Amino acid sequence: MGLSEAFILYGTVYSAEYVGGVFWIIFSHVSVSAKESLCTKESQDYASWDRQSHPATIVLCRSKSSQASLVPKEHQMFMEEAYNSAICFKMLRDIGTSDPLQLKYITKKMKKMSQRSPSLVMESIHDYFKDNPEISNRHRFRLFQALQAVIGARDVLEETWQKYFMQLALEHMTKSTELDDIYQDAASNVLLALCRHSWPAVAKHLETELLTGVFPHRSLLYVMGILSSQEELLKKEDRGSWKDLLAQIARKSVPFLNTDVWSKELLWTLTKSDRTQQAHTPEKDFLFNYYGLILQAEENTTTVRTHLKTLLETSHQWPKQREGIAVTVGLAAVRHLDDAWAILEQFGRSTSVKWSLQNFSLKSLEDLRWKWAGSTILLSYGQMAAKAKSYILPWVDNILSRMIFYFRFSNWDETLKQSFLTAITMLVGAISRSEGAHSYEFSQTSELLECLMILMEKEPQDTLFTSIRQQAIRIVASLCALRPPMDVDRKSRLLSICFRSVFALPLLDALEKHTCLFLEPPNIQVQPALKPGGTLSGLGPHPYGTWLTSSLPQGLYNQTMEGMDHMLQCFMMQNPTTNELYFLLSHLYVWLASEKAHERQRAVHRCTILFKFLNYKRCLDIKEPFRRMGQLVAMLGILCQDADRTIQCFSLEAMGHLYQLLMYHKAGEVPEVERETLEELPPPDAIGTALWSSGDQKDTLLIPQDMASKNDSIFFMGSNQVIKEITGHLEMAELTDLIWTTIDGLGSTSSSWVQASSNMLFLVIQEHGDNLATVGKMGQAIHHHLCAIQLPQAKNNALRVITFLARNHIPELVAAFLDFSTPLDSHVFCLWKALGAEEPASHLILTVLMAWLRKRPLPSGANDSSSCPKEKPYLRSLAAMYTIHELQFAREFKRAVRDAFPQLFLALLAQMHYILELDQPTEPEQEQKAQEAAMPSPQSCSTSLEALKSLLSTTGHWHDFAHLELQSAWEHFTSINTYPQAVGLLARAMVQNHCKQIKAVLSYLLPGLQSQQERERKTAILVLIEFLYSPALLEVISKQTALTVLAQSLQDTSPEIRVASLQGLGNILFHAEKGTLLRGQLPAFLNGFFQNNEAVVVGIMGVVSDVLHRLGTEGAGAQSLCISINTRYFFDDERDNVRAAAMALFGNLVATIAEKELNGLRSQVFLSMVPLLLHLKDQCPAVVTQAKFAFYRCAVLLRWQPRHTLFCTLAWENGLSARHFLWTCLMTHSQEEFSTHLSQAINYLHSHHRHIKTWAALFIGYTTCYQPEAVSQMVNDMDTRLLFSTFKDLKKDPEPGIREFATRQLEFLREVSAGSEK
């Protein structure tokens, strides 16, 4: 009986039985259910693949050693080995029919199995090859792949297996099959895998095969190529031996160059046209290197030249061909530099190359051979430089000049540009490795830089599908260390071109969409990851996947950005000064302020990396101060508030590193704590690619806290805290620069930038606004941008900045604002309101404005044509006047204006005189014409008057305003001749209205009389002589003081002031007997009223008015009644001037009547009300004016309310509603005089003046509507007929409202008449 056992593997039942010295494994297919129940741990994919049925029995003969070891107590170990052997056998069998996914799984499984049971796996593979010679080439190809993976996974391999599998690989490396080269490559890969275990044996065999004198087989070249390009296949200690072996083989191969067959085979292999022309094949790469090494070892220069010439005359159509030729030339030049240079020069002057440089049109395939010959020459020069190493320095300028020549005069396509950059990169790399390069001065670097700039400028701005940008930038970075250094202009242009070429690229999504149009789209962003086992997505398992992906880009975008960072860092390392840092950053600022978020993001990312690099290196010269640090902090602070979250994070991190740099710079050395931190920090290139090498980041990106120093809290602060912390360490000049930068940001076309700038400006001014200089210019700049700011919050921040500055800088700001306050627009008005938003400031502002108002120099002459306000001080005086006028209506200045009323009152009166002086023709006619532009416009005169009016009306002195308004006295301020009369009338109104500010004004009058300016003394004396009639005068100054002041004014240089002083000295205050004398003259004057001469009557009435004024508070006494009776008599005089004079006199009389005297004159006042009211429609404007004033004075005397509304109606309203209001006031406040008023109105129906008659009819009509019964009782038949006749006439009035009123009144009168008859 034999020993037997059964087990299940991958759904197949296996039975093992030992019979007759042979171990039989028999297996058969089982059902799916049994398989699922018994093999739950196996891969479902593989189980599914294995559901097909298999032959019933396969016999596997075990070795004798295995049979002998079979004893009962080792039964379990034996069965486990049998189990693994069965698995391995089945996988080796099934590998021939697997799809790529299953093949990957099997290979992985075998590698794991070889880790546990290496001998079993190796033996199984050996036996399978030996026992199954009939398997297909495809099956054997896959077995080679699995074998290569298993050998590669082993650290140690038994010598027996090394020899066997090496022999197996050598047998099949040269075998021709239907699989072509891939079968040979698979066998070769096994040999390559064995190199790690048996390098000497493999190397010996390779050397032997190469030196047979027969041109080596392709698979041998493949192995050599892989070993040359992938040195990691060898152990470190073997790599040097490999290079020595190559050199030794090359030296021994030199005789072959003279062997015609070998040389022709070499040339044919290098130039044959097949798929390898475009593919990257290791065998051809090695062959070009091998050829170059042989030529390098050749002593005969003629032979070298012959072979190089022959090689260059081959086709240059394919990229790999051009690169290979260049490698060969470069290697040959190591020992034959002169020969290589001569051959390249000769080749460059050949007819074919000249044609290729002339961009001829392609006519045949032969032309394609030479189209890119210039590219080959460029690459050859690069390889010469790269291989020659230290010997290249004397040749650099010559090589560069030739490279630049071919670049400029060749057809500019992607091939040429890429070849040029590759060659330059090799040349610059060779220079950088040369010890004497730093002391060597190169003459062609400026020309090279021009070529690089042209390259970047020519790159399409909307796509990124080549590495030209990043290559050019990295070359520039390498050139930084060469002499002579770049001049400033060229470096500036270079930076501008680099930044524009890179930062202006579209978003990554857009770039990726563009690249989708290419047949072979480049990798824009991500670096493909090489998975374990050399597997690449889409390529399947490959033994040398690393080699296959070596040409894939790390990500064009990331590489380009890294190149930019490297260039900036090289600039700083070459010139580690703060000036250089400022120079670099100044070219970034335009991109930091870009309207496009991705451009700002790219720029601020570069800043962040640069600051981190500098912070790590600590290379900046601490003896030099930072240049325009304020501007930099402002830009980053603004970006900290960007709407893009990624930009915020980058900016905050940049601010943190900048703060550390600033602290280090100020301290002059690295603090101990920071030194420890720096030792822990990796170099910038080693920082995680998520932050350092990323492209356009998404909004969710956050700066990880572990990127910052653990010992510095600046990285964990918010943006406002960071800004406060940094600005706290800035000097005043740096703070000023920061503020100016944020102010400039207010003018940006980007709304988000404007908002961020305003926030930044407000924050800094809030913290540091107290000690700033040039605040006035800052205020002007804010005004300049204010009108363009559309965002309410940004505008509010700008205005709040002005409010904060006003706390300590009011004089400067007021002076600055006056330059653009003539006149004030809405934006300027907002600035002034912001300036006075805080109450103490508003008072000081008015004080400063009045100081400017008093600086009233007259223009010096006709040649004063400058438009600058600083050169025309009188313009600031006018601007102060305009400003004061507007601020009187601002809520922020209400209280300040009210408190400063006395000063403002006198200042504005003097200002009006100043304006009138400017209008006077003080120069000859020709000079006057020349300075017309400098003179104030009529608007200035009007504004000065309006400022005075608004001062009275907004501070509660509307009674005084009403006096002048109703008398039309304001017009007296428009002429310098009537100016004294106007001032007198205003001061008189204040006295008559018992103004409460008289005392305060008096306190400023006395200093005004001592002023250096005549106009101020004149204004003060005119006001004083009127205030002498006020009882409040003596509460401020004594009578003797007043006399002294007036007496001193008699010595004034101005005759007008002397005359006014004489008038004041004649005041009744100083002459008590004068009242009796004046009252004694009144009867005679009253008799003069009845003279026939109109002028005499008008003059006498004027004299009586003057007498009443001079009597002051004493009044006319008992004669007031007589005056009123005589005056009323002339209200209806046919002479216009007489009526006007009579009403003026009556108004003056009423103004002088005290309340105690009213009882005797009440009837006269009431009798005058209807005539005065009706004469508001008089044909004579002077009469209307005096009627208004007299009526108003009567209403004031009778204490009618609402007085202000009554004044407004009299002053500015003329319609029916105004007439109805006036009628209502009269009838409401004098009901007891109803009959008198009605009879007076009826009498006026006989007037010859149509308007007065119409007004009387309206008066009666209103009365009839509201009190019909009273009217019917008083009106007789004659009056009724008169009313009917009057209203019938009014139905023809041109005014529609009057016609409608008359129609209604006729109907109403008929109803009233009918009711009376009944």
Side-chain angles (χ1 to χ4, degrees):
M1 291 290 293
L3 182 65
S4 64
E5 186 69 35
F7 53 90
I8 297 176
L9 176 64
Y10 298 118
T12 303
V13 176
Y14 292 82
S15 60
E17 186 173 1
Y18 181 71
V19 179
V22 178
F23 184 67
W24 298 82
I25 296 180
I26 305 172
F27 55 93
S28 60
H29 187 66
V30 297
S31 66
V32 174
S33 60
K35 174 175 57 183
E36 291 177 349
S37 62
L38 296 173
C39 302
T40 56
K41 293 184 181 181
E42 297 297 334
S43 169
Q44 293 299 322
D45 292 337
Y46 194 81
S48 187
W49 155 70
D50 196 45
R51 288 175 184 172
Q52 56 187 350
S53 59
H54 301 288
T57 304
I58 291 180
V59 178
L60 175 63
C61 296
R62 300 288 294 175
S63 65
K64 293 182 179 181
S65 60
S66 297
Q67 298 171 23
S69 64
L70 184 61
V71 293
K73 66 179 181 179
E74 296 179 352
H75 173 68
Q76 184 177 357
M77 184 180 300
F78 166 75
M79 292 309 301
E80 182 179 354
E81 183 179 353
Y83 174 80
N84 291 332
S85 179
I87 293 175
C88 188
F89 173 80
K90 187 176 189 302
M91 287 191 293
L92 291 172
R93 185 202 66 186
D94 294 341
I95 204 171
T97 57
S98 303
D99 58 35
L101 183 62
Q102 294 163 347
L103 177 62
K104 174 183 175 182
Y105 175 79
I106 292 174
T107 304
K108 180 179 179 181
K109 192 76 175 177
M110 292 190 69
K111 287 173 63 177
K112 288 184 177 179
M113 186 178 292
S114 68
Q115 298 293 332
R116 299 192 302 268
S117 305
S119 298
L120 184 145
V121 174
M122 293 297 175
E123 186 176 356
S124 297
I125 296 174
H126 167 267
D127 293 344
Y128 196 88
F129 270 107
K130 181 178 180 181
D131 298 334
N132 298 279
E134 73 285 353
I135 59 176
S136 66
N137 290 324
R138 181 179 181 83
H139 192 173
R140 191 176 289 108
F141 162 72
R142 291 192 170 183
L143 288 174
F144 282 138
Q145 286 185 315
L147 177 59
Q148 182 270 334
V150 170
I151 295 175
R154 297 294 303 145
D155 294 329
V156 179
L157 187 65
E158 295 179 8
E159 185 177 354
T160 303
W161 301 124
Q162 292 178 15
K163 293 180 180 180
Y164 173 77
F165 289 124
M166 182 183 298
Q167 186 61 37
L168 180 67
L170 291 172
E171 290 176 2
H172 291 273
M173 280 173 55
T174 58
K175 183 178 180 180
S176 298
T177 67
E178 71 277 10
L179 299 179
D180 296 329
D181 294 346
I182 64 171
Y183 181 87
Q184 297 173 356
D185 291 348
S188 300
N189 290 334
V190 175
L191 187 63
L192 287 168
L194 290 170
C195 286
R196 294 180 63 247
H197 305 283
S198 57
W199 154 247
V202 174
K204 182 178 180 180
H205 175 78
L206 293 174
E207 181 181 6
T208 302
E209 292 294 324
L210 282 172
L211 298 177
T212 59
V214 179
F215 192 78
H217 189 272
R218 189 204 66 84
S219 60
L220 185 64
L221 298 176
Y222 172 82
V223 173
M224 298 294 288
I226 293 294
L227 285 174
S228 299
S229 60
Q230 297 292 322
E231 291 185 354
E232 60 269 16
L233 293 175
L234 301 175
K235 298 178 180 179
K236 290 184 179 180
E237 57 271 19
D238 295 333
R239 292 174 188 174
S241 300
W242 165 249
K243 292 180 181 179
D244 294 338
L245 177 63
L246 281 180
Q248 180 180 344
I249 293 174
R251 287 192 298 271
K252 292 180 180 181
S253 301
V254 169
F256 301 153
L257 292 176
N258 299 319
T259 304
D260 189 56
V261 175
W262 195 93
S263 298
K264 288 181 178 179
E265 182 73 14
L266 170 65
L267 194 62
W268 178 84
T269 305
L270 290 175
T271 59
K272 67 178 180 179
S273 178
D274 55 15
R275 66 176 183 85
T276 62
Q277 296 293 346
Q278 297 187 61
H280 186 83
T281 57
E283 58 267 28
K284 183 166 284 192
D285 287 347
F286 169 75
L287 199 54
F288 278 114
N289 277 277
Y290 182 43
Y291 194 10
L293 289 172
I294 296 174
L295 291 176
Q296 182 184 124
E298 174 61 69
E299 299 291 342
N300 191 332
T301 58
T302 303
T303 304
V304 173
R305 292 193 178 204
T306 302
H307 279 270
L308 289 179
K309 180 182 178 182
T310 304
L311 183 62
L312 287 170
E313 289 175 351
T314 60
S315 175
H316 301 267
Q317 180 178 354
W318 304 108
K320 296 304 175 184
Q321 189 76 9
R322 296 190 294 270
E323 294 173 10
I325 293 173
V327 169
T328 302
V329 174
L331 288 170
V334 172
R335 291 187 61 199
H336 307 284
L337 186 56
D338 292 335
D339 299 313
W341 176 268
I343 291 299
L344 284 176
E345 286 291 292
Q346 180 183 351
F347 180 64
R349 289 192 294 268
S350 65
T351 304
S352 300
V353 174
K354 289 180 179 179
W355 284 352
S356 70
L357 296 180
Q358 295 172 4
N359 193 20
F360 61 94
S361 58
L362 300 178
K363 298 179 181 179
S364 65
L365 292 176
E366 183 66 21
D367 296 335
L368 289 174
R369 296 179 67 246
W370 304 105
K371 180 179 179 180
W372 293 285
S375 174
T376 304
I377 296 175
L378 285 170
L379 292 173
S380 298
Y381 283 128
Q383 288 289 351
M384 287 170 59
K387 307 300 183 184
K389 299 180 181 178
S390 59
Y391 303 105
I392 198 61
L393 284 183
W395 292 82
V396 168
D397 285 330
N398 289 333
I399 292 177
L400 262 180
S401 65
R402 301 309 294 159
M403 287 181 173
I404 293 169
F405 168 79
Y406 284 107
F407 172 75
R408 287 182 173 174
F409 294 99
S410 298
N411 181 26
W412 276 25
D413 57 10
E414 292 302 318
T415 299
L416 177 83
K417 291 188 286 187
Q418 192 62 54
S419 300
F420 174 73
L421 289 172
T422 303
I424 294 296
T425 301
M426 289 188 286
L427 176 63
V428 173
I431 295 172
S432 64
R433 292 190 294 270
S434 301
E435 295 181 358
H438 295 287
S439 60
Y440 199 91
E441 189 156 335
F442 302 96
S443 62
Q444 295 292 319
T445 52
S446 59
E447 295 296 324
L448 174 58
L449 287 171
E450 292 296 328
C451 294
L452 295 174
M453 287 188 280
I454 292 173
L455 265 179
M456 285 188 283
E457 284 181 322
K458 296 295 183 180
E459 280 296 281
Q461 199 57 61
D462 57 345
T463 56
L464 179 65
F465 57 88
T466 69
S467 60
I468 288 177
R469 285 183 178 88
Q470 63 103 354
Q471 285 181 280
I473 290 172
R474 289 191 178 275
I475 291 171
V476 170
S478 300
L479 293 176
C480 293
L482 302 184
R483 296 179 57 196
M486 298 181 209
D487 60 84
V488 175
D489 293 338
R490 181 171 283 107
K491 186 188 292 187
S492 177
R493 192 158 63 90
L494 175 66
L495 288 171
S496 299
I497 291 172
C498 288
F499 291 157
R500 182 170 61 252
S501 179
V502 176
F503 293 160
L505 286 171
L507 285 165
L508 279 177
D509 293 340
L511 289 175
E512 290 170 351
K513 289 179 182 177
H514 281 297
T515 57
C516 291
L517 302 176
F518 296 96
L519 293 177
E520 296 182 3
N523 180 5
I524 296 297
Q525 185 175 13
V526 245
Q527 178 182 8
L530 184 62
K531 298 182 179 180
T535 302
L536 280 175
S537 177
L539 297 178
H542 192 280
Y544 299 102
T546 305
W547 172 79
L548 287 175
T549 59
S550 62
S551 62
L552 290 177
Q554 189 182 23
L556 286 177
Y557 181 86
N558 292 346
Q559 288 178 341
T560 305
M561 291 302 173
E562 288 173 357
M564 181 79 72
D565 295 331
H566 180 62
M567 180 186 71
L568 296 176
Q569 293 167 12
C570 287
F571 277 131
M572 285 307 305
M573 291 303 295
Q574 187 64 25
N575 185 19
T577 63
T578 55
N579 284 335
E580 180 71 7
L581 178 61
Y582 168 73
F583 180 79
L584 298 179
L585 293 175
S586 64
H587 290 79
L588 276 171
Y589 287 154
V590 64
W591 300 101
L592 291 174
S594 172
E595 293 186 7
K596 298 179 180 179
H598 67 277
E599 293 179 353
R600 297 196 304 275
Q601 185 184 121
R602 292 164 181 170
V604 74
H605 195 184
R606 309 285 72 75
C607 287
T608 305
I609 294 176
L610 181 59
F611 293 153
K612 192 162 191 175
F613 172 80
L614 293 175
N615 204 27
Y616 171 74
K617 289 292 186 180
R618 290 289 195 255
C619 59
L620 278 179
D621 186 357
I622 60 175
K623 297 179 181 179
E624 292 186 0
F626 277 106
R627 186 176 176 189
R628 297 207 65 183
M629 172 61 73
Q631 181 187 26
L632 176 58
V633 174
M635 296 292 286
L636 293 177
I638 291 171
L639 289 170
C640 285
Q641 306 168 64
D642 198 278
D644 186 279
R645 179 63 175 160
T646 303
I647 296 176
Q648 291 182 28
C649 295
F650 281 141
S651 304
L652 273 174
E653 188 187 1
M655 290 281 273
H657 292 299
L658 181 62
Y659 174 79
Q660 290 184 337
L661 278 175
L662 185 63
M663 294 299 98
Y664 159 70
H665 197 269
K666 287 183 177 294
E669 59 181 4
V670 185
E672 292 297 330
V673 175
E674 292 190 11
R675 285 196 185 119
E676 296 174 4
T677 304
L678 292 177
E679 291 175 0
E680 298 173 0
L681 282 175
D685 294 338
I687 302 298
T689 56
L691 182 62
W692 283 79
S693 302
S694 60
D696 296 350
Q697 304 295 333
K698 305 301 181 184
D699 287 344
T700 55
L701 177 67
L702 295 174
I703 301 299
Q705 289 186 351
D706 58 2
M707 299 296 291
S709 169
K710 296 291 190 300
N711 300 306
D712 201 334
S713 61
I714 191 73
F715 290 97
F716 308 105
M717 296 181 181
S719 58
N720 287 353
Q721 291 177 300
V722 170
I723 293 170
K724 290 180 181 179
E725 184 69 24
I726 293 181
T727 54
H729 295 279
L730 297 182
E731 303 293 338
M732 184 53 60
E734 295 169 334
L735 276 174
T736 303
D737 188 24
L738 184 153
I739 292 170
W740 274 112
T741 304
T742 56
I743 291 175
D744 291 340
L746 298 177
S748 172
T749 55
S750 169
S751 58
S752 60
W753 190 270
V754 172
Q755 182 63 63
S757 298
S758 68
N759 294 339
M760 179 79 171
L761 179 61
F762 174 72
L763 180 64
V764 175
I765 293 297
Q766 190 177 22
E767 292 292 319
H768 307 284
D770 295 345
N771 302 316
L772 291 175
T774 66
V775 172
K777 292 182 179 179
M778 292 177 183
Q780 289 180 329
I782 292 174
H783 161 258
H784 175 72
H785 298 302
L786 193 64
C787 57
I789 298 177
Q790 301 297 325
L791 299 174
Q793 183 60 41
K795 182 172 290 188
N796 183 56
N797 284 343
L799 294 175
R800 290 172 68 191
V801 165
I802 298 298
T803 301
F804 276 108
L805 289 175
R807 294 178 177 178
N808 295 279
H809 307 284
I810 285 180
E812 304 99 295
L813 290 171
V814 169
F817 287 1
L818 286 177
D819 290 343
F820 47 76
S821 297
T822 310
L824 276 73
D825 57 25
S826 59
H827 300 294
V828 179
F829 186 59
C830 288
L831 280 176
W832 282 105
K833 289 171 62 178
L835 193 63
E838 297 177 351
E839 188 171 314
S842 60
H843 286 77
L844 182 55
I845 290 167
L846 280 181
T847 302
V848 177
L849 281 173
M850 284 188 287
W852 278 107
L853 192 68
R854 295 188 182 99
K855 295 180 180 180
R856 307 180 181 105
L858 295 172
S860 58
N863 57 357
D864 184 19
S865 58
S866 173
S867 60
C868 180
K870 292 183 180 179
E871 297 177 12
K872 289 185 175 181
Y874 69 91
L875 291 183
R876 275 194 174 170
S877 178
L878 298 181
M881 176 190 68
Y882 281 108
T883 304
I884 290 172
H885 174 224
E886 295 294 337
L887 295 185
Q888 291 170 7
F889 302 99
R891 175 183 55 82
E892 293 82 358
F893 287 86
K894 286 287 185 182
R895 182 171 180 179
V897 170
R898 188 164 54 250
D899 293 344
F901 175 83
Q903 304 98 299
L904 284 172
F905 176 73
L906 294 175
L908 289 174
L909 284 176
Q911 184 71 11
M912 295 182 67
H913 192 282
Y914 175 64
I915 298 297
L916 296 174
E917 290 180 73
L918 291 177
D919 280 336
Q920 296 305 304
T922 58
E923 301 289 340
E925 187 66 24
Q926 61 273 19
E927 294 184 3
Q928 183 177 357
K929 291 181 180 179
Q931 74 176 64
E932 275 184 359
M935 287 301 181
S937 64
Q939 184 182 3
S940 300
C941 302
S942 173
T943 303
S944 61
L945 181 57
E946 291 301 320
L948 181 60
K949 289 181 179 180
S950 60
L951 177 66
L952 296 172
S953 60
T954 58
T955 55
H957 298 83
W958 66 268
H959 304 87
D960 310 323
F961 174 83
H963 264 66
L964 272 72
E965 183 68 27
L966 293 174
Q967 294 181 83
S968 298
W970 295 116
E971 62 187 20
H972 297 315
F973 281 107
T974 60
S975 171
I976 200 165
N977 296 323
T978 57
Y979 174 81
Q981 181 182 353
V983 175
L985 287 174
L986 181 54
R988 186 180 306 173
M990 295 174 69
V991 173
Q992 291 176 350
N993 289 310
H994 309 291
C995 178
K996 296 180 180 179
Q997 290 285 353
I998 288 179
K999 295 179 184 180
V1001 173
L1002 277 169
S1003 64
Y1004 289 96
L1005 275 180
L1006 299 181
L1009 290 170
Q1010 309 299 322
S1011 173
Q1012 297 296 320
Q1013 298 184 7
E1014 179 183 334
R1015 68 182 69 89
E1016 292 189 358
R1017 300 196 305 274
K1018 181 179 178 180
T1019 301
I1021 197 67
L1022 291 173
V1023 174
L1024 178 61
I1025 61 176
E1026 289 296 332
F1027 279 8
L1028 291 174
Y1029 295 102
S1030 173
L1033 175 75
L1034 298 178
E1035 297 180 21
V1036 180
I1037 58 174
S1038 64
K1039 186 186 297 185
Q1040 185 58 42
T1041 303
L1043 280 171
T1044 303
V1045 170
L1046 292 171
Q1048 291 174 349
S1049 297
L1050 290 175
Q1051 308 300 320
D1052 199 278
T1053 56
S1054 169
E1056 294 178 338
I1057 296 176
R1058 295 197 298 270
V1059 170
S1061 300
L1062 284 174
Q1063 292 176 354
L1065 289 172
N1067 192 280
I1068 194 173
L1069 176 65
F1070 308 115
H1071 309 281
E1073 70 284 359
K1074 192 172 183 178
T1076 304
L1077 294 174
L1078 291 174
R1079 283 190 289 272
Q1081 300 295 323
L1082 286 175
F1085 289 140
L1086 294 177
N1087 292 333
F1089 286 2
F1090 298 95
Q1091 297 287 331
N1092 293 327
N1093 190 314
E1094 179 182 352
V1096 173
V1097 175
V1098 172
I1100 293 174
M1101 290 183 177
V1103 170
V1104 174
S1105 293
D1106 186 58
V1107 169
L1108 292 175
H1109 169 59
R1110 293 179 183 278
L1111 288 171
T1113 55
E1114 293 187 10
Q1119 297 187 61
S1120 297
L1121 180 60
C1122 185
I1123 295 173
S1124 64
I1125 294 173
N1126 285 278
T1127 303
R1128 275 197 322 102
Y1129 178 79
F1130 293 94
F1131 280 3
D1132 298 314
D1133 194 274
E1134 293 298 325
R1135 296 166 293 183
D1136 293 344
N1137 291 333
V1138 174
R1139 292 198 309 276
M1143 292 179 184
L1145 175 58
F1146 190 82
N1148 290 330
L1149 174 65
V1150 172
T1152 61
I1153 296 176
E1155 293 183 6
K1156 60 183 179 180
E1157 300 174 356
L1158 179 58
N1159 293 332
L1161 293 174
R1162 182 180 293 274
S1163 60
Q1164 293 299 316
V1165 173
F1166 278 120
L1167 287 173
S1168 67
M1169 297 303 285
V1170 171
L1172 291 173
L1173 182 62
L1174 297 180
H1175 276 286
L1176 294 178
K1177 295 300 178 182
D1178 197 283
Q1179 63 183 5
C1180 177
V1183 174
V1184 173
T1185 299
Q1186 297 304 329
K1188 287 181 178 180
F1189 179 69
F1191 188 88
Y1192 175 75
R1193 289 306 305 173
C1194 292
V1196 171
L1197 185 64
L1198 296 173
R1199 297 185 177 182
W1200 285 7
Q1201 296 295 340
R1203 194 178 303 173
H1204 188 267
T1205 307
L1206 176 63
F1207 154 64
C1208 294
T1209 303
L1210 288 170
W1212 300 303
E1213 297 185 22
N1214 295 310
L1216 291 176
S1217 60
R1219 300 180 191 183
H1220 182 266
F1221 174 77
L1222 294 175
W1223 174 86
T1224 302
C1225 286
L1226 177 62
M1227 301 308 290
T1228 301
H1229 294 93
S1230 57
Q1231 294 181 0
E1232 64 277 7
E1233 304 293 336
F1234 174 79
S1235 58
T1236 303
H1237 295 333
L1238 184 60
S1239 62
Q1240 286 178 314
I1242 292 174
N1243 289 334
Y1244 273 98
L1245 292 176
H1246 299 283
S1247 173
H1248 299 295
H1249 302 290
R1250 185 176 65 85
H1251 293 294
I1252 294 178
K1253 182 178 180 180
T1254 301
W1255 186 198
L1258 293 176
F1259 184 92
I1260 296 170
Y1262 292 142
T1263 307
T1264 304
C1265 290
Y1266 290 95
Q1267 299 184 10
E1269 295 181 1
V1271 173
S1272 62
Q1273 292 176 3
M1274 291 183 58
V1275 176
N1276 54 33
D1277 294 339
M1278 184 181 297
D1279 295 334
T1280 302
R1281 287 194 295 273
L1282 181 59
L1283 286 173
F1284 273 105
S1285 174
T1286 302
F1287 284 119
K1288 285 180 181 179
D1289 293 339
L1290 290 178
K1291 288 179 68 177
K1292 303 175 184 178
D1293 195 272
E1295 188 175 342
I1298 292 179
R1299 292 198 303 269
E1300 183 182 354
F1301 181 80
T1303 302
R1304 293 200 307 266
Q1305 284 301 313
L1306 282 173
E1307 295 176 359
F1308 189 73
L1309 283 175
R1310 292 189 183 99
E1311 294 176 2
V1312 172
S1313 299
S1316 300
E1317 292 176 359
K1318 291 180 180 181

